[in-house]
Amino acid sequence: MTTLYTAKKYAVPALEAHCVEFLKKNLRADNAFMLLTQARLFDEPQLASLCLENIDKNTADAIAAEGFTDIDRDTLVAVLERDTLGVREVRLFNAVVRWSEAECQRQQLQVTPENKRKVLGEALALIRFPLMTIEEFAAGPAQSGILVDREVVSLFLHFTVNPKPRVDFIDRPRCCLRGKECSINRFQQVESRWGYSGTSDRIRFSVNKRIFVVGFGLYGSIHGPTDYQVNIQIIHTDSNTVLGQNDTGFSCDGSASTFRVMFKEPVEVLPNVNYTACATLKGPDSHYGTKGLRKVTHESPTTGAKTCFTFCYAAGNNNGTSVEDGQIPELIFYT
């Protein structure tokens, strides 16, 4: 780094290029934050973006490294703004608390919850508390003293009631995914009146390639604008293991459109393995799909790559949903 500084100072581009090349070769999760700070300081955008990519791919290791607590606040903000970090939000929060403690010491402030909040400044608003489970939130952030009572209450309400009150924190998932969001719809027509009595709507599916499912599109009420409570799950059919789930809600406008309900983090779906998509709705009668397709293919408009879905009947309690008709019309995914 000192050699790079000298090369830049005395305008020796060949030496500068060699230094950057050397740093790229030696970039690892445990030094990515240290190099990122320096790359930003020396205005090396190419090196900075490689560091950020490394942090995306190895977020847990990178935030656990010693160098993480030494970064400046602008670098911290640049990282927390990213949608592509691959780590549970509660681990990110714990790392940010460690950073705030180190920053208090650097500023010769007492390490108190108030001072931690003060040194975090705008960085605190970039922690996506709504992505945590209510248990994670209750055990950590809610008791940390860094959030004010009003924020804690509004987040607990966000976790527990529907319709969800607006919170001051981002609820967009951090997808460790590149590319564009895609979706497929398995029905060719929409009809009305599908009832709910506590039984889950379920449909089995498999795909010809690895994808990440981020949510479902569900039908809403036939009686005008309504709020639903819903639990969504993806289950590995053979082992009956729940791979992803979310207890949430959605608001619909009474139209025959589908309404998005998202998982807290992407669910990896492997090729040619049977999975069960499951949605348990609580609310009035809704629209439902009919003229269902057993096979649906999504073709990428840019690359022409095909993702082929095969749907089949989920035996047992399924509230009447089948390949031919029912709920869970849409799967929302990344390839």
Side-chain angles (χ1 to χ4, degrees):
M1 274 300 177
T2 46
T3 313
L4 175 62
Y5 170 74
T6 312
K8 280 181 109 63
K9 185 175 175 180
Y10 296 106
V12 188
L15 180 57
E16 190 183 323
H18 275 300
C19 289
V20 172
E21 206 47 49
F22 176 82
L23 292 168
K24 280 188 211 163
K25 280 201 186 81
N26 290 279
L27 170 62
R28 300 182 310 274
D30 63 359
N31 63 17
F33 273 109
M34 184 271 290
L35 287 178
L36 175 61
T37 309
Q38 302 284 338
R40 286 166 59 91
L41 183 67
F42 292 141
D43 191 25
E44 285 289 345
Q46 195 194 5
L47 180 60
S49 94
L50 283 171
C51 291
L52 286 166
E53 268 178 47
N54 189 296
I55 290 163
D56 283 347
K57 288 198 190 89
N58 311 289
T59 314
D61 290 341
I63 61 176
E66 278 177 33
F68 172 71
T69 54
D70 300 330
I71 63 177
D72 59 286
R73 190 170 73 188
D74 287 349
T75 304
L76 180 69
V77 165
V79 171
L80 293 177
E81 281 174 337
R82 293 176 77 73
D83 285 339
T84 40
L85 300 174
V87 71
R88 295 275 320 147
E89 202 69 18
V90 70
R91 291 183 72 176
L92 206 50
F93 172 77
N94 293 336
V96 166
V97 171
R98 277 189 7 254
W99 179 89
S100 69
E101 289 163 355
E103 183 65 13
C104 282
Q105 288 169 339
R106 280 191 288 272
Q107 294 190 25
Q108 295 176 331
L109 295 169
Q110 252 188 314
V111 182
T112 64
E114 295 73 26
N115 283 338
K116 289 185 207 175
R117 185 181 174 102
K118 184 179 159 193
V119 298
L120 280 168
E122 63 188 309
L124 181 62
L126 300 173
I127 299 285
R128 302 183 187 185
F129 295 103
L131 300 185
M132 298 179 186
T133 65
I134 188 167
E135 293 81 8
E136 287 171 338
F137 179 72
Q143 299 182 52
S144 66
I146 292 175
L147 294 172
V148 296
D149 291 352
R150 179 183 53 79
E151 291 164 334
V152 173
V153 170
S154 81
L155 281 159
F156 271 126
L157 287 173
H158 176 85
F159 287 124
T160 51
V161 305
N162 283 306
K164 301 207 168 299
R166 208 183 68 76
V167 287
D168 296 333
F169 298 97
I170 304 162
D171 62 359
R172 189 171 66 248
R174 290 189 196 271
C175 288
C176 34
L177 309 174
R178 307 289 183 277
K180 271 198 161 49
E181 183 182 287
C182 315
S183 68
I184 52 117
N185 191 318
R186 64 193 190 91
F187 294 119
Q188 300 176 84
Q189 201 172 311
V190 185
E191 299 287 346
S192 51
R193 201 163 290 269
W194 198 260
Y196 303 99
S197 57
T199 309
S200 307
D201 284 276
R202 290 146 61 90
I203 188 76
R204 269 172 56 187
F205 72 95
S206 63
V207 195
N208 68 332
K209 59 160 75 157
R210 177 184 183 227
I211 63 167
F212 291 89
V213 175
V214 292
F216 299 153
L218 301 176
Y219 292 120
S221 171
I222 54 175
H223 302 296
T226 312
D227 293 315
Y228 281 86
Q229 284 182 32
V230 61
N231 170 279
I232 56 169
Q233 296 188 339
I234 287 184
I235 298 163
H236 181 271
T237 310
D238 294 343
S239 66
N240 209 27
T241 313
V242 177
L243 303 174
Q245 69 127 9
N246 195 10
D247 269 308
T248 179
F250 68 96
S251 300
C252 62
D253 58 9
S255 73
S257 318
T258 57
F259 299 91
R260 292 158 67 90
V261 182
M262 308 304 271
F263 289 103
K264 290 202 171 182
E265 47 190 25
V267 180
E268 184 181 25
V269 164
L270 299 173
N272 310 315
V273 174
N274 284 320
Y275 296 90
T276 306
C278 179
T280 316
L281 282 83
K282 212 179 189 173
D285 290 355
S286 74
H287 294 91
Y288 71 94
T290 181
K291 294 195 176 168
L293 301 164
R294 187 168 291 278
K295 285 194 185 308
V296 182
T297 300
H298 177 276
E299 191 170 329
S300 160
T302 46
T303 64
K306 288 184 165 66
T307 311
C308 305
F309 292 78
T310 306
F311 292 95
C312 57
Y313 185 70
N317 294 336
N318 52 33
N319 201 37
T321 284
S322 65
V323 174
E324 288 70 40
D325 43 35
Q327 254 290 11
I328 320 183
E330 278 185 349
L331 295 181
I332 305 166
F333 65 98
Y334 284 73
T335 51

